[in-house]
Amino acid sequence: MSRLLAAIPLMFLTGTLVFFLIQFNPVDPAAALLGEDASLASIAEKRAELGLDRSLLVQYGDWLTDVVRFDLGTDWFTGESVLTMFGDRAPVTLTLVFGALAIALVSGVGLGILAALKAGRLPDRIVTVVSSFGMAIPNFWAAILLAYFLSVQVRWFPAIWSNTRTETIGGWLHSLVLPCIALGLSAAAAIARQSRSSMIAVLQKDYIRTALAKGLPVRRVIRRHALRNAAIPIVSLAGFQTSALIGGAIFVESVFNVPGLGSLGVDAVLRKNTPIILAFVMVTTFVVVMVNIVLDLAYAWLNPKVRPG
Amino acid sequence: MTGPADDLVLEIDDLSITFPGGRGFLPWQRLPDVRAVQHVSLSIARGDTLGLVGESGSGKTTIGRAVLRFIRPRSGRIRVGDFDVTGFEGSVPRSFRRAVQVVFQDPVGSLNPSMVVGDIVGEPLRIHAGLSGAARQDRAGDLLEQVGLQRHHLNRYPHEFSGGQRQRIAVARALATDPDLLVLDEPVSALDVSTQSQVINLLERLQRETSAAYLFIAHDLAVVRHVCNRIAVMYHSRIVETGPSDGICDAPAHPYTELLLASIPDPDPEVQTGRSARRRALTIGTAGSVGNAPEDGCPFADRCPHVMDVCRESFPEFTPTLAGGEVACHLHTSGPMLGGAPVGTLGSVGA
Amino acid sequence: MSAHQSARSRFWSRFLRNRVSLVGGGYLVVLVLVAAGARFLTPHDPNVATRFQDFLFPPFGEYLLGTDLVGRDIFTRLLYGARYALFAGAEAVLIALVVGVPLGLVIGYFRGWVDRIVMRFVETVVAVPAVVMAMAIIAAVGTGLTTAMFAIGVVYSMIITRLTRAEVFAAREELYVDGARAAGATDRRIMWKHILPNIAPPLIVQTTLLFAQAVLAEAALSFLGIGASAHQASWGRMLRDAQDSIDQSFWPAVPPGIAVFLTVIAFNVFGDGLRDAFAREARGGRVGVGDVEAVDPGSDPVPPSDDALLTIRNLSVRFPRPGETEDVSVVSGVDLDIGRGEVMALVGESGSGKSITAMSIMGLVPDPGLASAASIGLDGRELVGLDFDELRRIRGHEIGVIFQEPSAALNPAYTVGRQVAEPLEVHLGMGRRQARARVVELMELVGIPDPGRRIDAYPHQFSGGMAQRVVIAMALACEPKLLIADEPTTALDVTVQGQILDLVGDLSRDLGVSVLLITHDLGVVADLADRVAVMYAGEIVETGRLTEVFADPQHPYTEGLIRAIPRNEARSGELPTIPGVVPPPWEWPDHCHFADRCAHAGDACRVGPVPLQTVGASSVRCIRAGEVVLRGVRAHGGAAS
């Protein structure tokens, strides 16, 4: 509840921070927009058109009032509505991010707990080695490898995004399988490590000894008493990983040519397309904050101590 | 046993300490302030030991921290020698840090794990005596020998010592500045019985040698009786009884002091049979000191076998006891018995 | 005194034992050398095409790793790439440390409004995905390797600030900080001399891991084209070029990818090795239980008494000692009988082995301990040799346990009602509703007020005394024959202790359950026990009826304990003490364990093991028993309550 309320000022703070940050760039966007041959007059005209001739505070006020009305402005170069552009591109990026998160959670938690229960033995060593590999592979390189071996060599999955193939839902999802795996790899590795260590820590607790002393079967001790407490730090990590996955999506999209938010963002950074950069920051932050709110609820469910009353 | 007033090393007058309440569920909600210490007055003379006894959460450690000026009280005055502790503005004068030293309960946590013993004991020597190099090592070595350790221990790390030895190191550090007042916060509670008495004997020997005043904070009344000249009993933010050690322990005037004494199990089975019967008779319900202490009224009222209506309305004035101390209990002010007689003589319990 | 090394040399010996981390460290050293000497290791220029303009030349021929799409030597570019990777990583990490550590130290130490403002700012930046934030900063300061890594450094500095602050927050609550402050140390001295050295380990580990992240980030940003420029042979840039020619040849994507991969792994394992070496004790995992192994009875087995509920013969527990081949014995040759309805106290100081003895009865020796016994009989049934599942049916069913720390013994995630109900469901096959009704009865039995409502409360909503009552209810749920109470009142206030002692005493009498009471407090023993067994350094040194042992102890250690305990009596002279301390298990001698602290010990005491000699209902492990006159609880006279 209080997190939800705190999320709104946080969004504005982030937006404000980035708004003023971008002003540091010495390059004049109007000049960049019109190219090297543009006359000073036309540049000035363009500046006025974009509203850049006004004082910074007025620009900021304008931007703020627009944002409150869910108006994210227009692309300086194409004049398209930023909101529409994001609406078109967000679904594929979000599917990619949450698909990767799902893969990472399922495989990471499973492997991590397996490793903890077999601590010091072969399965533990295998998981430890695999997860340290997983954390070290750059996701875009993993993407290149996957694309080469699973699409160029055996043609199981498409290597490059094509608009015709992705018209059906099935084709769309099929095209996202490899990007999701490439993206989820390092998150899965990180979650596996966290699951292992938090499970091991929980198994040392007094209440596990109590549960054993009560004569509960080991499986019940693990399922009922250990798992739920071990999940608490994993939930915290999942929030951090969501943030990392959104960042990672930018690179994976670039390898597979996926028309998501990432390519939009990179392009905007290269061309200093301020409205897009601002929207990019705000939208990604919004997603992270929303995920964290959901995770907070899960956290409170797992840990009665933080529940009110 | 108290000397003339100008010989007092520590004087606490009407001390109250509160802690801000936590955050509520909604961001703007604030829980009420926690009353940790209310209207406490105490004094210790040079060379004397005052025992401050109470259960967890009674506020005894908080008083110790206020004397060390780790926390600022809400109201009241603390004087240590010529220092007006509550009057310090901003940083604390170095000479005050020389005059007051401390030994904590936890012999593991109270020594910096990344420093060798020589640096731990030598730090106050560097700060207050300006010693360095060989002179400092030399003096630190003397101090170690004074507390029953050896000079070659200077180069070891704290984790290489047993609990009792670590507590000796902490005592050596405290002695380094030749303090006037030593705050001992549960100095032997974490130790095994056999080590406990070793450390107590050490502290007593050192007191004879230095005539420092001790504020001995502990939960175990039996230990306190052995160590202290005078005792102050705390319950849930209030001092309820003070007096000479033997007087309080042989003839408690406050029902809580009596319960506390009846709760110390004795190793003599015969003695313990009688004592546990007494304990049962004095125990009302199952409550402990939970929640915030009441602002008015006696905090012990809910657990007191003698409770009267007036006990919930006002906290009693201090009355002199027959044992030579003072008690804050309505039994002795407006109750059937006047004059601070021992509770044991006050007639049947729990009737 | 065992051979002691300084903490620093122990740290390095721990680290050097970790081979994986050593390999990682070795790789990093080589990487630095390669980066420094790239010019001397290759004849080619990283940015100029080879003489014959061999585009996409395959590897292992004329050019060791082939050439890229414009004919540049890949091996050469790889070597120079190490430079960019290390410089980029160093830049980001340095910025992060220079900004983050002092800032975190100061705001963590002084807190207050500066802390609140800085943290609001940090939280704002950290809420944005790191890469996105870095891109926004790059949008402001321009693209290029230096500016990109500056952006990464700024984002990382927020992470370091947050970590440092959290560590300082925890460290400044430590008593040694209070101790330093009482000694007169200034705030600056406390921050730099006391707090920083103690929070350095996590910071060093985090720095190593961030370096790995920075190498990854450099590669990623250069791959997108907003990091290294076309003229900088960074690994990320090489991958970008490889991606452009991927339709013609896959090979150029392999070497730089492996280089990034190996470098990141090297930093990670190096950091992990540091972390493990910093940790004082290596910790095991697994559900810590071991079975009890059967051994021959000792040379002179004591016959079991007829009316005993529990008989233990020759119980020993060993633990493997890290770095040593031989196990160390923490409990040896324990014989113990507990009668029906009897309260038997097992007394000893910390390290005597009393708790482990009790846990072995149920087959709950903490991992990796090894227990062995000739016999453990419970109500005529032999427990030694039972497998885990057979012992499980006895735990919580025929043997109930109460632990020292009630708030830790209960699972914070479940209501107390569900936890008390568990043994009922598992052992007695009760359904939810039936079990719930029984739980309410049990809670009433142990004196929890308003059980119908409190049954749905969570452990943290109970005070220590109330939580201990819950644990007692749980232990008694299946009406066990034996109750093991392991320091049941040590964590409680003294007035609450009395209530719990009364409760345990009443219940054992009313329900006829035998109790094994483990404690260090002779007063608690005198309150509850019928018989007592005194343990010292892994051995039972004396047993007998409570009244006899305490009034007339036969073993000097028992006498020492009795005399050292502070009692509510007027005192005269110094407090009696036992000189010295309990030695660690690996220093226990073969002869009498107590000899070195004993005032009565002679040469005969230091010859060989001393057997436990039984006389009637008592036994004592002392060759001078009967010879020396020892004083009991009434010796110094005059105490009556």
Side-chain angles (χ1 to χ4, degrees), chain B residues 231-271:
Chain B
I231 292 178
V233 181
M234 274 195 93
Y235 185 78
H236 215 183
S237 83
R238 299 267 195 180
I239 284 185
V240 294
E241 184 171 0
T242 63
S245 301
D246 288 341
I248 279 200
C249 292
D250 288 335
H254 196 281
Y256 175 65
T257 316
E258 196 196 14
L259 174 64
L260 212 49
L261 285 163
S263 299
I264 306 168
D266 191 89
D268 185 339
E270 265 176 50
V271 174

Side-chain angles (χ1 to χ4, degrees), chain C residues 92-105:
Chain C
V93 168
L94 265 179
I95 291 172
L97 289 179
V98 167
V99 176
V101 173
L103 190 61
L105 257 179

Side-chain angles (χ1 to χ4, degrees), chain B residues 70-86:
Chain B
F70 289 165
I71 43 177
R72 306 187 85 164
R74 193 172 74 162
S75 63
R77 271 170 60 97
I78 301 175
R79 211 169 59 79
V80 175
D82 295 330
F83 297 102
D84 178 7
V85 179
T86 34

Side-chain angles (χ1 to χ4, degrees), chain C residues 77 80-81 84-85 145 218-219 222-223 228-229 232-239 256:
Chain C
R77 288 175 70 76
Y80 280 86
Y84 293 106
L145 188 60
E218 184 275 316
S222 299
F223 176 75
S229 72
Q232 293 168 313
S234 110
W235 293 334
R237 191 76 208 184
M238 290 171 74
L239 283 167

Side-chain angles (χ1 to χ4, degrees), chain C residues 188-455:
Chain C
R188 223 178 58 190
R189 185 176 168 86
I190 291 174
M191 268 195 280
W192 294 103
K193 291 266 173 186
H194 288 270
I195 293 181
L196 192 59
N198 283 300
I199 65 166
L203 283 180
I204 292 172
V205 170
Q206 191 63 36
T207 303
T208 323
L209 301 181
L210 269 188
F211 210 114
Q213 290 304 306
V215 170
L216 271 179
E218 184 275 316
L221 293 176
S222 299
F223 176 75
L224 284 187
I226 52 183
S229 72
H231 305 296
Q232 293 168 313
S234 110
W235 293 334
R237 191 76 208 184
M238 290 171 74
L239 283 167
R240 182 183 169 84
D241 296 343
Q243 166 83 345
D244 290 342
S245 62
I246 200 116
D247 295 339
Q248 300 151 62
S249 167
F250 176 69
W251 169 253
V254 176
I258 291 179
V260 175
F261 174 68
L262 287 181
T263 306
V264 172
I265 280 202
F267 273 110
N268 281 345
V269 296
F270 188 72
D272 288 348
L274 287 177
R275 187 203 317 260
D276 291 347
F278 280 128
R280 293 248 145 77
E281 280 308 319
R283 292 157 34 125
R286 283 190 271 166
V287 184
V289 285
D291 299 337
V292 181
E293 171 197 346
V295 293
D296 288 337
S299 51
D300 186 16
V302 188
S305 42
D306 303 331
D307 60 342
L309 173 79
L310 179 80
T311 58
I312 302 175
R313 288 296 172 269
N314 201 10
L315 173 73
S316 297
V317 182
R318 288 164 299 146
F319 276 84
R321 216 181 143 200
E324 310 274 325
T325 45
E326 232 170 273
D327 290 352
V328 57
S329 239
V330 296
V331 171
S332 49
V334 164
D335 295 348
L336 199 67
D337 288 334
I338 301 179
R340 287 170 205 282
E342 184 179 72
V343 179
M344 162 66 100
L346 194 55
V347 194
E349 295 179 277
S350 48
S352 62
K354 54 191 191 304
S355 286
I356 289 185
T357 301
M359 290 302 116
S360 324
I361 297 170
M362 300 178 293
L364 287 183
V365 186
D367 187 73
L370 305 161
S372 62
S375 164
I376 297 175
L378 178 71
D379 204 13
R381 187 167 173 205
E382 181 57 56
L383 302 189
V384 174
L386 293 191
D387 67 20
F388 183 87
D389 204 52
E390 288 164 324
L391 269 176
R392 176 182 78 66
R393 283 174 222 279
I394 289 168
R395 291 196 284 264
H397 191 188
E398 291 174 48
I399 304 177
V401 194
I402 315 172
F403 296 105
Q404 172 171 349
E405 196 73 59
S407 43
L410 294 169
N411 190 331
Y414 296 100
T415 62
V416 295
R418 283 180 73 180
Q419 297 187 59
V420 177
E422 263 189 314
L424 296 169
E425 291 163 12
V426 170
H427 296 299
L428 306 183
M430 283 192 189
R432 269 279 169 93
R433 190 170 305 171
Q434 197 189 358
R436 190 178 164 89
R438 175 81 181 120
V439 171
V440 172
E441 281 174 32
L442 282 163
M443 289 173 73
E444 206 157 356
L445 180 74
V446 298
I448 295 171
D450 198 3
R453 201 171 52 82
R454 299 292 277 164
I455 187 171

Side-chain angles (χ1 to χ4, degrees), chain A residues 28-50:
Chain A
D28 184 347
L33 208 54
L34 296 174
E36 284 168 15
D37 307 332
S39 68
L40 284 177
S42 59
I43 290 176
E45 192 184 332
K46 191 75 190 172
R47 285 177 63 85
E49 187 192 319
L50 295 175

Side-chain angles (χ1 to χ4, degrees), chain C residues 33-58:
Chain C
L33 293 178
V34 163
R39 200 142 50 94
F40 309 107
L41 295 172
T42 168
H44 302 287
D45 185 299
N47 290 318
V48 176
T50 52
R51 209 159 13 119
F52 305 105
Q53 309 230 326
D54 294 317
F55 307 134
L56 295 172
F57 206 77

